Amino acid sequence: MTSVDSRSTRPSGRFRDHTTARVGGPAGRWIRAETQSQALEVLRAHPLPEELEREAGRDTLIVLGGGSNLLVSEEGFPGTVLQIAFSGIDTEEHNAGKVLMSVAAGHDWDDAVRFSVARGLTGLEALSGIPGSTGAVPVQNVGAYGADVAQTLKDVQVFDRARGALISFTKEQLRFGYRDSLLKQTTVHGSPRYVVLSVRFLLQSRPDGLSAPVRYGELARTLGLDAESADHERRAPLQEVRRTVLKLRAGKGMVLSEADHDTWSTGSFFTNPIVPKETAAALPADAPKFSAGTDDTGRPLVKLSAAWLIDQAGCGKGFGLPDGPAAGRGAQGRGIAEGRAALSTKHTLAVTNRGTATTDDLLTVARAARDQVRTRFGITMHQEPVLIGHAL
């Protein structure tokens, strides 16, 4: 086992330097695990606390990957931050033209997608450009442009902090749902029971270099495809699909850029609400609505567009800026967070740091947008990012 020594310990690490929203204070101890052995040493030193302690937010450990789904208060976190930084990709032939791709948890997610596309492996291309590490993507069942991780994931290796043991979960055992999984369900106030160490994907190797069928209307139209046609008619060259997704995401401020404050965010702040069919029926006819199965009693459910709800509630692009929508300008006209935070000027789902924001500033804008939607439509939206030291 490799000891965690001073070379991997950063006593003064600050979350603002390691998260995509660029906010958050210091940690009591900051450890960057360059190997799985280093990570396991730290994890074994921080067993899972009792449930009441977790509910009260008193875990001694935060596990950090790419920092794309985390907001920590400016007061910081008094415990230990374990930053998963080990990377690597392996592939092996499976059967029937399938390839197993194994990715270390700390590997940059978009680089893993780039790797798969470069080798003619289909299934991940629509997930291009999503920031963060590979270990985080199964937690949220990350998805975009008609694809999600559950479609190609085979299994994950995790460390169970309750049992102090390495175990594996298959796709079926992970109980994937919309932006949900067993991994997320067993995380309480940022305290994870299971910590992902590696992820395996089962991808199709296609000699013709074509993508998986494109399911998302906007992406299909941009590629010149008909999203309603048969599967074999909804494929395009893998590299072209990747380039197109990156271009679409960049146009919405969803590809990280040092120079673009619209990208200083956690990505989509709110999940798309899933509501009973009768609730959806009360919305205007032009409100986007998608079938979402049924609840436990068999009642039909409908998925709504959080972006549409926010926009129609008066919180359009730039909400929170002095020259943004009126509802977000504040009493003095300088913006509800003095212009330091706002909804993206490119996409209403992202709450952005305009350069000098604090965590409080971002949450001020998020609460205002949530409250406007609740007042206008009677629907409560829920956040995607994990909040430490704060509640929405």
Side-chain angles (χ1 to χ4, degrees):
M1 179 177 291
T2 304
S3 295
V4 177
D5 58 25
S6 60
R7 290 171 297 175
S8 58
T9 302
R10 302 179 179 185
S12 60
R14 297 181 65 88
F15 285 95
R16 68 173 57 251
D17 300 321
H18 299 280
T19 56
T20 56
R22 305 185 189 212
V23 294
R29 189 182 186 207
W30 196 290
I31 300 173
R32 179 181 170 88
E34 302 281 358
T35 67
Q36 181 169 305
S37 295
Q38 285 183 330
L40 289 172
E41 183 178 355
V42 176
L43 291 169
R44 290 186 174 114
H46 292 272
L48 192 71
E50 296 294 327
E51 195 67 20
L52 288 177
E53 292 293 296
R54 299 176 74 207
E55 289 286 352
R58 289 196 288 263
D59 200 341
T60 60
L61 183 71
I62 287 178
V63 179
L64 180 71
S68 61
N69 198 47
L70 179 69
L71 291 176
V72 179
S73 71
E74 298 304 319
E75 289 72 30
F77 176 69
T80 296
V81 172
L82 172 60
Q83 186 172 9
I84 304 294
F86 49 91
S87 61
I89 302 177
D90 290 314
T91 59
E92 61 179 282
E93 296 296 325
H94 190 60
N95 55 46
K98 297 289 184 73
V99 173
L100 273 174
M101 186 174 90
S102 179
V103 188
H107 201 101
D108 178 76
W109 170 248
D110 189 54
D111 187 69
V113 177
R114 181 201 58 77
F115 179 98
S116 70
V117 168
R119 284 154 181 78
L121 304 178
T122 72
L124 301 181
E125 57 277 4
L127 303 177
S128 293
I130 295 174
S133 62
T134 299
V137 295
V139 179
Q140 289 280 110
N141 187 19
V142 163
Y145 295 102
D148 60 39
V149 168
Q151 293 167 358
T152 53
L153 185 142
K154 179 175 174 57
D155 53 34
V156 298
Q157 183 187 53
V158 305
F159 181 79
D160 181 353
R161 295 176 66 207
R163 295 165 51 192
L166 284 169
I167 61 175
S168 294
F169 287 121
T170 65
K171 175 170 67 174
E172 293 73 23
Q173 291 171 321
L174 285 170
R175 304 203 304 257
F176 282 124
Y178 170 65
R179 302 297 176 268
D180 196 21
S181 72
L182 172 70
L183 305 171
K184 182 177 179 180
Q185 294 157 16
T186 52
T187 298
V188 180
H189 298 308
S191 168
R193 173 173 175 174
Y194 303 109
V195 178
V196 178
L197 299 173
S198 63
V199 187
R200 291 202 304 172
F201 300 93
L202 188 58
L203 306 176
Q204 182 77 43
S205 177
R206 291 184 60 90
D208 59 11
L210 295 180
S211 69
V214 176
R215 299 179 174 88
Y216 196 76
E218 180 187 21
L219 179 57
R221 290 190 297 272
T222 307
L223 290 165
L225 304 174
D226 180 358
E228 303 301 321
S229 61
D231 277 4
H232 71 277
E233 297 176 340
R234 289 187 286 121
R235 300 181 188 271
L238 276 169
Q239 292 284 4
E240 183 180 353
V241 173
R242 174 168 164 78
R243 284 194 299 268
T244 302
V245 169
L246 289 172
K247 183 177 180 180
L248 289 171
R249 290 185 64 86
K252 298 172 183 177
M254 293 294 186
V255 175
L256 292 177
S257 169
E258 178 79 21
D260 185 358
H261 288 152
D262 276 334
T263 73
W264 292 27
S265 75
T266 60
S268 296
F269 192 92
F270 295 103
T271 59
N272 290 320
I274 295 178
V275 300
K277 187 176 181 180
E278 54 268 27
T279 300
L283 295 174
D286 62 340
K289 305 179 184 78
F290 309 93
S291 175
T294 60
D295 64 15
D296 292 340
T297 67
R299 183 172 56 167
L301 297 174
V302 174
K303 182 167 72 174
L304 306 176
S305 166
W308 185 92
L309 292 168
I310 292 167
D311 186 64
Q312 295 300 307
C315 309
K317 298 172 184 176
F319 175 78
L321 293 175
D323 58 350
R329 293 176 189 169
Q332 305 301 317
R334 295 194 294 265
I336 53 176
E338 300 293 312
R340 294 184 296 269
L343 296 188
S344 167
T345 63
K346 300 181 180 74
H347 196 280
T348 55
L349 271 182
V351 179
T352 66
N353 177 353
R354 308 314 294 179
T356 61
T358 64
T359 309
D360 282 329
D361 293 332
L362 296 180
L363 294 180
T364 293
V365 172
R367 289 187 192 106
R370 177 201 61 187
D371 292 347
Q372 288 280 113
V373 169
R374 186 160 51 198
T375 299
R376 173 70 177 83
F377 297 110
I379 293 170
T380 299
M381 298 189 301
H382 301 283
Q383 88 262 6
E384 281 200 41
V386 174
L387 306 182
I388 303 292
H390 280 290
L392 189 61

